[in-house]
Amino acid sequence: MFKRTVLLVLVLIAVVQSIYEDQIGLYDWHQRYVGAVEHRIADSRAIVVITKKNILAALHPKTGAIMWRRKFNEEDTVTVDPVICGEEVVTYHSTNRYRHWDILTGMLTLDTPHHEEDGLLFYASLSYEKMIRVTRNNVYWGKNDNIGSSPIDISPSMKLAGFMRSGSKVEGFLFDPSTAQGVSIKYDANHDTVQVAEAALPSTTQGIKLVTSEDSIAGLQGDSVFYKTIGEDSFLEVKLSDIGITWSVDSISAAGKSAYIVSGKQMSAVIAVMDGAMRAVKAISKDVIGQVVGSDHIALVSRADHTVSLVQLSNGFEAHSYSLGELAEGRGGVLSMTTLTASHPCSLMTTVRVPGLFLTWKDQSVTVVGSNETCGWIREESLSSVVSATLLDLPASSFIPVSLHRHTNPIKLWTERITMQLQDLQKFINLYFGTALIDVSPEMERDSFNLNKLIFAISTCGKVHVLHSGTARIIWSRYLDNIAPLSNGQYQVHMIRSASHYPLPALVAVLGTSLDSKKAVLTVLNPLDGSLQYRQEFESKLAQIQLTAVEDNEFAKVMLILTDDNEVHTYPPRLHKLVEHLPLYFTLVYPDQMELKGFFLKGTRVEETWSAHLRGDKILDVKSKATNDAVYSQGRVLGDRSVLHKYINPNVMAVAVESGTGDKVLVDVQLYDMISGTQLYHARHKQYSGPVHLLVVENWLLYHIWCSKLRRYEVVVVEFFLPSAPNTTEFSSLFPRTPSFSIQQAYIATSPLSAVAVTTTLKSITNRAVLFAESGGRIALVPKALLDPRRPTIPTAEDRQEQLVPYTPQLALAPMSYVTYNKTLQDITGMVTGVTGLESTSLLFAYGTDLYFARVTPAKTFDMLNEDFDYYLIGLVLLGLCFATIVTQALAENKALNKKWK
Amino acid sequence: MFWSVLFGFIAIWYDVILASESAYDIRGQIAISNDPGWQTRTLISANFGEYHGYAQQNGSFVIPNVKPGSYIVEVLNPNYIIAPVRVEISSKASGRIRARKVDYVQPNEVMLVKYPLTFRVADRTNFFEKRETWHITDVFSSPMVPMLLLPVFFMLVLPKIKDMQDPETKKELEDASKMMSNPQMPDMSDMLTSLLGGTKKPKKIASSKIRR
């Protein structure tokens, strides 16, 4: 019996969604990212990066493609730059371990704990086969395991200031800022000797900040620079005014291989240690970063005008200079620079052969540039931290409006329409006769089934990307300066006006927080070309947004912005009178006070109508219904032909609250009516805890929860029904007529989730399916029929007629139910679903470290012919039938004639 | 006796000292055949990402510094769905590790498996539906085909066998065939004529029929 039900379940899943092996990548795409680069080391074989996402990855130096990437768990971060030693990349972890990775494949070759408790001071690679690790008690050298060691004793008050490297020598410098005492640990690889020497700084230099630049160390104190090169026993002092720097400077930064940049408020200067003495090389403008390339040059990148210049260190002569141009636009400026080895193809084509530059930008993107911008690559790593996304329709016509000016004169309007239509006709002719006279981009045009969309995605750093869902190409991107996510870690993105109101531009509103003032910021963009349409900063923080169905006289939906001083603003601005007659309600969640509050719009302000205290310690999740979701059927037909009426309340909000700890932990899941504040449902789960993922759709509530008692994840489904047929189809929260009742059931889930979503289709006729993004990186499509609270343990004849699947405690998922098939998405954080012109098909966009887009068909493509449909055969059969008709007609006529002759 | 007591004391003391602080390594071995380079695509996770381990060339892995407790150890590889194992590290018995099958339905049922862990996988998980292909053997395997062939066999072959033997049956058959060519039975071509040739515009009707 059990086996049979399992079989039945599997068969049922198989009906839902599954693709053929030859359809890989046909309707879906997957983009892999690594995150914002924190540590980097470049080699001719790979650029090894460690990112904010705690990922170690190797990027191909020529193409920027990910060669391999490995993710570390949260408590296992890499805090220091990795080191390349021979064929291996060595990383040192916060868990006091070393890991050696093959540089080409990413295979783990050695995983070993660090021997000493107090951790590592520094480590460096010297020759091809030699590594040195220095702790307070020992210096180790050798490659994989320690070949040799030498005991040393360094007092704990000494802090590492940096280490220097030159040829076979490594020297670490430790410094006690309070006493200005310093100590050098010197290691010579040729003889494997370790020497510890005192190297004090003058007592006036207490608190000096030292920076190391490959083979020297320097610090700035007042107008003097103290420096020491590798091997030297003591620090030297040089007054900046003595070397020609007359203006005041306040900081010093390393620029690689004995070069430094001292910068002041107006100007900066490159200084370098040459022949044992510090000299000024060149005075430069402020906000410039530099890196020594080759033996005698320094590459300088200006953050202000994005020019790269190559300066000879010995004489300060500018050898080469070029502008980064378009590449630098909208990236918020360069953060850091690393040089690639000279054999790199992007080496600057100058008289001196010097390497290409690996740049990281403020918008998290990374680039490699050579002598011109065509040589190199860009990785838009901000796409690895997308926090909010929405799917937008493409315009019905790709005609790009020339004038955005709207005429009131009917004759002008008429002529504009005629010219537009003429241009459309011309475009049509061009398309079919192959002479592209005007720029036609069919990519920006809606396809016949509206399957292709624009993905509007915004990242934590404030970078907006718009991608084409079919080609995965970035249409445009824009760095919104001075913006951060809202308090929930996301932005609010709303479509104000669609692209179908030519010549008015389409509008998308983005709400975030200002970085400076922490107040709400509204930015309105045109999603087709990225142009900024409107920007407004409010006086207080954002509380909530509500998009009304009311449109102004320019077809823009009126959006209400409630700030936390109870003031309501509108976009387009000052349109309160359009909405003041409407019954508009707001519900706010106060996580600190554990309270829910309902408000009612009155004029330009809101008034509190209800409040509810949530018992517990922590709000785990809050979800309300999607506003644009269609409900197709008002009821469910049962096996005995009676109807179970759904309780469809558009104003519900689910809240999950956790309270207690240890064995007393419990989770309350509650459903509130947002208008009246009525509690519609309450379930208390004892010995359950978060994380909880909620989903509220149509008449059902679904949540995924951790059962700490039985150590397993569970999915609970609750459906709400009415005991009798409702009198009207119109729902009112204020005058509830009949109380609803609920049916619930729980299932065992095998994996924790990182996100949950539901498929949406045009008319919601297609059965819904729930998308579970598992923490392992797969996305499962589970039909609602499996998550039905009415699944019977022992099915009766009526149940069978209703096609209810018998109950099984565990939610068994077949491999075919994974929409991501054999792809693993790194750290999914959210999913967005969208409708298409086809009732059967729903779109899925998942984001996290990776991006994934796919079409999902919860009930197979019932409204589309199979792609292997034989058009020729059916054409041939039709033709044959026609032919047969004509022949038999002639024959019949003959026969009839013959009969008459008889 | 004395030694065992002392040893017991030492063990208890050891536990008390280490119970809060100590961390242990979970070790195991993975064997995945016919997928070269699987090691770089494989991640071993304990408690769904709380701890990570990485496979080495020989298939061995270590999840280091794991605190005592109960962990679900999974081997994550895009091409394979591999059944997880529950690993329990005792905080009392100085980090004794045991591994058992994961049973979410009956969590109290203990079925021990070998520790250090071994994961052996041979076939790739099939995430795809098989495309239907037509093959000549499909025709014979279909139950409809014998059902069709058998009547044909009876109609054509059996009468021949019979009429060779008996003249009486031959007569019967002849009668039967006369019955078959019953003049009252409508003629096929007549039917077509009456349908198609009866009206003045037969062509239109014909085409409309096809459309239907």
Side-chain angles (χ1 to χ4, degrees):
Chain A
M1 176 63 204
F2 180 72
K3 267 190 182 165
R4 220 178 69 197
T5 54
V6 167
L7 199 80
L8 204 130
V9 169
L10 292 182
V11 166
L12 209 116
I13 294 166
V15 172
V16 177
Q17 149 115 21
S18 45
I19 64 163
Y20 300 113
E21 201 158 353
D22 50 73
Q23 286 177 326
I24 292 176
L26 208 61
Y27 305 128
D28 62 275
W29 49 260
H30 177 204
Q31 286 182 350
R32 304 190 327 144
Y33 293 94
V34 293
V37 173
E38 279 205 318
H39 303 279
R40 71 207 74 81
I41 183 161
D43 189 281
S44 59
R45 294 161 291 180
I47 299 169
V48 178
V49 293
I50 290 169
T51 66
K52 284 209 179 93
K53 299 251 172 194
N54 216 3
I55 287 172
L56 168 75
L59 306 177
H60 198 282
K62 287 177 192 167
T63 60
I66 299 172
M67 292 159 73
W68 52 268
R69 68 173 177 185
R70 308 308 298 257
K71 163 94 181 169
F72 304 120
N73 52 293
E74 255 170 57
E75 280 116 46
D76 192 21
T77 52
V78 179
T79 47
V80 284
D81 277 345
V83 152
I84 294 176
C85 182
E87 300 289 318
E88 286 166 349
V89 179
V90 185
T91 51
Y92 176 70
H93 297 252
S94 59
T95 47
N96 210 5
R97 292 184 82 82
Y98 289 96
R99 291 199 172 103
H100 290 229
W101 312 87
D102 188 290
I103 193 166
L104 293 176
T105 62
M107 180 97 71
L108 181 74
T109 50
L110 187 76
D111 184 354
T112 170
H114 179 60
H115 298 300
E116 284 170 41
E117 281 294 309
D118 65 341
L120 175 91
L121 285 175
F122 69 92
Y123 70 135
S125 74
L126 269 175
S127 53
Y128 207 67
E129 289 291 309
K130 210 150 198 175
M131 269 198 67
I132 158 168
R133 302 204 312 249
V134 180
T135 67
R136 289 189 192 275
N137 305 317
N138 273 301
V139 176
Y140 299 95
W141 57 85
K143 199 191 173 189
N144 289 352
D145 227 345
N146 304 307
I147 293 167
S149 71
S150 173
I152 52 170
D153 185 24
I154 307 290
S155 109
S157 65
M158 293 285 180
K159 300 275 182 295
L160 181 76
F163 67 92
M164 297 161 264
R165 221 166 53 137
S166 175
S168 63
K169 286 179 189 156
V170 175
E171 181 179 333
F173 184 72
L174 289 96
F175 183 64
D176 186 347
S178 57
T179 60
Q181 290 295 306
V183 63
S184 279
I185 306 163
K186 296 173 181 172
Y187 169 77
D188 190 333
N190 290 343
H191 311 100
D192 285 336
T193 53
V194 176
Q195 197 192 343
V196 180
E198 299 261 321
L201 275 150
S203 55
T204 53
T205 59
Q206 280 178 15
I208 191 171
K209 214 178 155 281
L210 294 164
V211 285
T212 48
S213 191
E214 197 158 344
D215 58 357
S216 66
I217 186 162
L220 182 74
Q221 181 81 3
D223 62 343
S224 294
V225 169
F226 295 88
Y227 65 98
K228 180 179 113 63
T229 50
I230 189 166
E232 296 288 323
D233 289 332
S234 57
F235 274 82
L236 298 171
E237 183 185 349
V238 64
K239 278 216 176 329
L240 285 173
S241 52
D242 293 348
I243 56 169
I245 297 159
T246 48
W247 61 93
S248 74
V249 292
D250 49 24
S251 68
I252 185 163
S253 60
K257 212 169 185 186
S258 25
Y260 298 89
I261 292 176
V262 282
S263 35
K265 294 217 159 47
Q266 276 88 39
M267 274 182 86
S268 305
V270 179
I271 56 173
V273 185
M274 276 177 286
D275 308 324
M278 184 69 87
R279 285 188 213 159
V281 175
K282 194 178 165 68
I284 49 174
S285 58
K286 60 166 189 153
D287 243 5
V288 169
I289 55 167
Q291 184 76 31
V292 171
V293 291
S295 55
D296 192 34
H297 286 83
I298 184 167
L300 300 165
V301 179
S302 162
R303 284 191 177 124
D305 56 0
H306 307 299
T307 52
V308 180
S309 52
L310 206 64
V311 170
Q312 213 160 337
L313 277 177
S314 50
N315 54 14
F317 172 71
E318 194 174 277
H320 184 67
S321 165
Y322 64 95
S323 172
L324 289 174
E326 266 177 42
L327 183 90
E329 257 166 46
R331 297 193 186 279
V334 181
L335 277 188
S336 78
M337 169 163 70
T338 311
T339 50
L340 301 177
T341 48
S343 61
H344 190 266
C346 280
S347 292
L348 302 174
M349 301 300 161
T350 55
T351 47
V352 277
R353 190 167 164 75
V354 282
L357 306 170
F358 176 70
L359 305 172
T360 62
W361 300 80
K362 208 173 163 192
D363 74 336
Q364 304 187 344
S365 58
V366 293
T367 56
V368 160
V369 287
S371 54
N372 55 48
E373 61 195 71
T374 53
C375 178
W377 45 261
I378 306 169
R379 285 189 70 82
E380 295 284 359
E381 286 302 334
S382 56
L383 283 171
S384 70
S385 59
V386 171
V387 282
S388 302
T390 179
L391 300 175
L392 307 172
D393 284 346
L394 281 157
S397 153
S398 70
F399 177 73
I400 294 152
V402 184
S403 88
L404 298 176
H405 187 73
R406 245 165 73 94
H407 305 286
T408 42
N409 186 344
I411 298 163
K412 272 194 173 172
L413 266 175
W414 181 80
T415 48
E416 193 168 76
R417 185 175 60 85
I418 293 295
T419 42
M420 201 180 100
Q421 281 166 347
L422 276 174
Q423 270 166 321
D424 261 354
L425 184 74
Q426 190 188 1
K427 194 186 75 185
F428 175 81
I429 292 163
N430 288 339
L431 260 181
Y432 282 88
F433 298 99
T435 49
L437 288 173
I438 53 168
D439 185 29
V440 190
S441 58
E443 193 191 26
M444 288 301 282
E445 199 169 288
R446 197 179 298 175
D447 56 311
S448 44
F449 291 127
N450 200 3
L451 288 163
N452 290 331
K453 303 270 173 177
L454 287 179
I455 303 168
F456 187 98
I458 176 159
S459 314
T460 33
C461 63
K463 180 110 178 179
V464 178
H465 289 280
V466 165
L467 290 93
H468 188 268
S469 78
T471 58
R473 199 175 69 84
I474 297 172
I475 307 282
W476 59 265
S477 51
R478 190 185 178 99
Y479 184 58
L480 299 179
D481 232 350
N482 188 17
I483 195 169
L486 300 165
S487 55
N488 62 356
Q490 294 177 344
Y491 292 92
Q492 288 264 12
V493 181
H494 292 280
M495 183 93 181
I496 301 287
R497 182 164 57 208
S498 72
S500 47
H501 299 289
Y502 173 81
L504 294 162
L507 298 174
V508 169
V510 177
L511 270 127
T513 318
S514 164
L515 267 180
D516 300 334
S517 60
K518 310 284 172 215
K519 306 281 166 62
V521 179
L522 166 72
T523 312
V524 182
L525 300 165
N526 180 350
L528 299 181
D529 58 10
S531 58
L532 184 72
Q533 304 287 327
Y534 184 78
R535 186 182 164 101
Q536 186 187 351
E537 201 163 322
F538 299 97
E539 277 94 56
S540 43
K541 287 182 181 171
L542 179 80
Q544 208 182 32
I545 293 175
Q546 198 162 325
L547 195 66
T548 61
V550 182
E551 287 181 349
D552 71 348
N553 52 7
E554 290 195 323
F555 311 105
K557 277 183 191 159
V558 176
M559 182 169 69
L560 302 180
I561 301 144
L562 174 64
T563 49
D564 63 0
D565 52 359
N566 286 1
E567 200 75 42
V568 177
H569 310 266
T570 65
Y571 178 82
R574 288 174 294 280
L575 286 176
H576 290 93
K577 60 177 184 299
L578 278 182
V579 289
E580 63 191 3
H581 63 281
L582 293 172
L584 286 168
Y585 296 85
F586 294 88
T587 309
L588 300 184
V589 184
Y590 296 88
D592 299 332
Q593 292 99 318
M594 297 296 289
E595 236 175 355
L596 291 181
K597 275 183 186 168
F599 296 91
F600 174 68
L601 177 77
K602 214 164 192 187
T604 63
R605 291 186 65 80
V606 286
E607 273 180 19
E608 190 179 319
T609 50
W610 61 271
S611 75
H613 182 72
L614 298 168
R615 271 182 57 200
D617 306 324
K618 198 168 85 182
I619 295 176
L620 297 170
D621 197 9
V622 180
K623 274 278 163 62
S624 53
K625 272 190 195 178
T627 46
N628 51 355
D629 224 7
V631 177
Y632 179 69
S633 168
Q634 292 284 326
R636 255 181 90 157
V637 182
L638 303 184
D640 60 359
R641 300 286 181 274
S642 64
V643 177
L644 201 54
H645 294 275
K646 291 178 185 172
Y647 172 75
I648 297 163
N649 180 348
N651 313 314
V652 290
M653 181 166 81
V655 189
V657 181
E658 189 185 75
S659 45
T661 49
D663 284 349
K664 295 233 170 86
V665 69
L666 56 91
V667 173
D668 287 292
V669 179
Q670 293 157 71
L671 204 67
Y672 283 93
D673 187 302
M674 290 196 285
I675 308 293
S676 59
T678 323
Q679 192 184 59
L680 301 168
Y681 176 78
H682 182 193
R684 171 162 287 187
H685 296 272
K686 283 181 183 162
Q687 295 203 29
Y688 279 66
S689 65
V692 168
H693 293 274
L694 291 165
L695 190 67
V696 194
V697 187
E698 282 190 16
N699 67 324
W700 47 276
L701 161 74
L702 178 142
Y703 51 96
H704 186 271
I705 193 168
W706 168 249
C707 174
S708 47
K709 187 187 176 190
L710 298 169
R711 291 186 306 204
R712 66 190 185 196
Y713 287 93
E714 288 177 11
V715 180
V716 182
V717 196
V718 193
E719 279 197 42
F720 301 91
F721 295 103
L722 292 171
S724 59
N727 305 334
T728 55
T729 50
E730 208 103 317
F731 181 85
S732 169
S733 287
L734 296 172
F735 309 105
R737 281 168 301 267
T738 41
S740 63
F741 68 94
S742 62
I743 308 172
Q744 56 263 315
Q745 221 163 47
Y747 300 90
I748 301 164
T750 50
S751 168
L753 301 182
S754 39
V756 61
V758 68
T759 59
T760 51
T761 53
L762 198 62
K763 302 259 185 248
S764 296
I765 299 168
T766 313
N767 293 334
R768 286 185 190 265
V770 181
L771 290 151
F772 288 129
E774 296 183 352
S775 65
R778 292 192 169 104
I779 299 175
L781 185 81
V782 185
K784 180 62 183 44
L786 286 187
L787 292 164
D788 188 341
R790 292 179 60 247
R791 279 174 66 178
T793 32
I794 300 150
T796 60
E798 280 178 4
D799 290 336
R800 249 172 264 141
Q801 200 159 30
E802 211 189 320
Q803 294 185 322
L804 289 178
V805 187
Y807 181 76
T808 47
Q810 194 158 337
L811 204 63
L813 297 180
M816 281 183 210
S817 60
Y818 289 103
V819 291
T820 48
Y821 47 101
N822 64 352
K823 286 193 160 87
T824 309
L825 316 183
Q826 191 76 58
D827 306 318
I828 306 162
T829 53
M831 287 189 285
V832 177
T833 54
V835 298
T836 64
L838 286 172
E839 175 54 38
S840 68
T841 311
S842 179
L843 299 173
L844 162 72
F845 176 62
Y847 51 88
T849 303
D850 291 3
L851 300 184
Y852 183 73
F853 184 88
R855 290 184 200 169
V856 287
T857 50
K860 285 207 153 180
T861 47
F862 56 81
D863 49 4
M864 236 162 62
L865 288 176
N866 281 343
E867 56 175 39
D868 55 353
F869 182 80
D870 206 335
Y871 292 93
Y872 291 107
L873 187 73
I874 199 145
L876 218 72
V877 168
L878 259 175
L879 275 176
L881 274 173
C882 287
F883 179 73
T885 323
I886 295 161
V887 172
T888 44
Q889 191 188 345
L891 285 175
E893 267 171 14
N894 252 350
K895 187 151 188 176
L897 196 68
N898 285 343
K899 224 174 211 172
K900 279 181 184 155
W901 276 109
K902 259 176 201 172
Chain B
M1 177 64 194
F2 169 75
W3 284 112
S4 66
V5 169
L6 184 75
F7 191 75
F9 269 116
I10 288 170
I12 291 163
W13 171 78
Y14 188 70
D15 279 356
V16 169
I17 295 295
L18 294 179
S20 54
E21 283 293 307
S22 56
Y24 305 92
D25 293 352
I26 298 174
R27 288 168 191 281
Q29 182 79 28
I30 309 165
I32 295 178
S33 42
N34 59 51
D35 187 12
W38 61 268
Q39 292 92 337
T40 59
R41 291 187 288 270
T42 304
L43 180 73
I44 299 98
S45 104
N47 270 12
F48 312 107
E50 202 179 325
Y51 296 98
H52 283 180
Y54 308 90
Q56 297 198 13
Q57 180 76 52
N58 60 5
S60 68
F61 69 87
V62 181
I63 305 175
N65 302 332
V66 183
K67 292 191 183 76
S70 173
Y71 298 92
I72 302 262
V73 176
E74 291 175 294
V75 176
L76 301 170
N77 182 302
N79 291 323
Y80 302 87
I81 294 178
I82 302 162
V85 172
R86 188 180 282 282
V87 171
E88 279 159 351
I89 305 173
S90 160
S91 61
K92 286 170 191 144
S94 63
R96 204 183 61 198
I97 298 176
R98 68 167 186 180
R100 58 194 187 92
K101 272 192 179 156
V102 177
D103 191 342
Y104 288 117
V105 183
Q106 287 159 302
N108 297 326
E109 209 161 84
V110 178
M111 270 180 78
L112 291 178
V113 294
K114 211 181 112 203
Y115 183 85
L117 306 170
T118 43
F119 295 94
R120 236 168 258 289
V121 200
D123 297 319
R124 280 184 178 227
T125 309
N126 183 28
F127 294 97
F128 304 102
E129 209 174 333
K130 276 241 165 63
R131 207 176 261 291
E132 283 165 27
T133 48
W134 191 85
H135 198 263
I136 191 79
T137 49
D138 293 350
V139 175
F140 298 107
S141 60
S142 163
M144 289 301 282
V145 176
M147 271 171 72
L148 273 168
L149 283 178
L150 225 71
V152 172
F153 175 78
F154 280 118
M155 257 173 64
L156 298 176
V157 186
L158 268 187
K160 278 188 181 165
I161 300 164
K162 264 192 172 176
D163 69 6
M164 299 298 271
Q165 292 163 346
D166 201 0
E168 270 182 38
T169 46
K170 199 179 175 182
K171 208 182 174 190
E172 269 175 38
L173 269 167
E174 265 168 18
D175 289 346
S177 62
K178 268 179 195 166
M179 286 283 279
M180 287 286 275
S181 57
N182 197 333
Q184 281 175 341
M185 283 276 279
D187 188 43
M188 202 60 196
S189 53
D190 279 354
M191 265 172 76
L192 272 171
T193 325
S194 58
L195 269 170
L196 306 169
T199 55
K200 280 185 181 174
K201 289 177 182 171
K203 213 172 183 179
K204 265 197 179 164
I205 292 162
S207 58
S208 73
K209 276 214 107 49
I210 289 153
R211 262 189 218 146
R212 209 188 295 157

